[in-house]
Amino acid sequence: GPDGCLYIVDWYDRYHCYQDANRDPKGIDRLKGRLYRVRYKETPRAKNFDLAKLPDEQLITRLSAGNDFIRNTAQRLLYERQLADINSMAGIPKRIETREKLRQLIEDKNAPQRQRAHALWVLISTREIDEGQTQYLMKNAEPWVQAWIVRLLGNIGGASPAQIETIRRLGREGAPEVKLQVAIAARKIEGIDALPVLVEVLAHAGDDKLIPHIVWQN
């Protein structure tokens, strides 16, 4: 929770599957249940707040919060705002400004890694990363960022010839976590001859115990 405590929901459900609940919604017992708050010593409750009322710039700052509830909520709100404007074409200048701040944050190696990761996930979730930045990140960023970009391109299922060449190189030269994502993405990206890429990844797997299994599955 926002106070750093662990919340456990324990409820009574007379139905063992949702079909029964759909058949008899009035039979759902909404009175019997428990909510436990597990705290460290005298941890105080969080004061009332509403992150949805904060401007984008403050939400970006919250991406570095020590509490993952705050970070995840800020990420979700930024994603929802970006997505809403992409779909409606409203508020374009402001959202472009926010998008650019997120892009700059990802490339800022002096910023906290957790903040950069959440910024990256916002842009990945809206797929608002252009080819220029994906190429830059795959060539210059840390392995964890490279791995996420390769995963993104695999999920999209498409890549330019230049991106494909970079992915092939990472399959040979990348860190283990990057090679792992190359092995997973190779079969997903149109334009990649997967088998040679998988063979290259396997040939450069070193002592990694997981990569051969993933290569075999793909």
Side-chain angles (χ1 to χ4, degrees), residues 4-119:
C5 295
L6 177 65
Y7 286 82
I8 302 173
V9 178
D10 174 28
W11 76 95
Y12 167 79
D13 193 347
R14 64 182 293 185
Y15 296 126
H16 64 281
C17 65
Y18 72 92
Q19 290 95 336
D20 289 333
N22 289 340
R23 174 182 54 80
D24 181 25
K26 292 184 179 180
I28 298 175
D29 192 327
R30 304 185 185 279
L31 299 179
K32 298 182 177 67
R34 304 169 190 85
L35 180 63
Y36 297 96
R37 177 175 180 263
V38 183
R39 64 181 181 176
Y40 177 73
K41 295 186 176 180
E42 298 301 321
T43 301
R45 298 183 186 278
K47 296 180 180 179
N48 291 340
F49 65 93
D50 187 353
L51 293 179
K53 294 181 179 180
L54 297 182
D56 289 359
E57 186 172 354
Q58 291 188 33
L59 289 178
I60 292 175
T61 301
R62 297 300 194 282
L63 296 178
S64 64
N67 182 300
D68 60 357
F69 174 92
I70 301 297
R71 296 198 308 273
N72 290 332
T73 304
Q75 175 189 325
R76 175 179 59 79
L77 290 169
L78 286 167
Y79 159 73
E80 290 174 350
R81 292 177 184 181
Q82 290 285 321
L83 191 63
D85 289 338
I86 291 171
N87 292 335
S88 68
M89 302 298 290
I92 296 289
K94 181 173 180 56
R95 292 302 177 247
I96 290 177
E97 179 183 350
T98 296
R99 205 171 305 149
E100 186 58 32
K101 288 180 180 178
L102 292 170
R103 288 173 175 165
Q104 293 175 3
L105 179 59
I106 295 167
E107 297 178 13
D108 184 4
K109 296 182 180 180
N110 293 320
Q113 179 173 327
R114 65 175 54 166
Q115 186 182 24
R116 295 173 61 206
H118 284 281

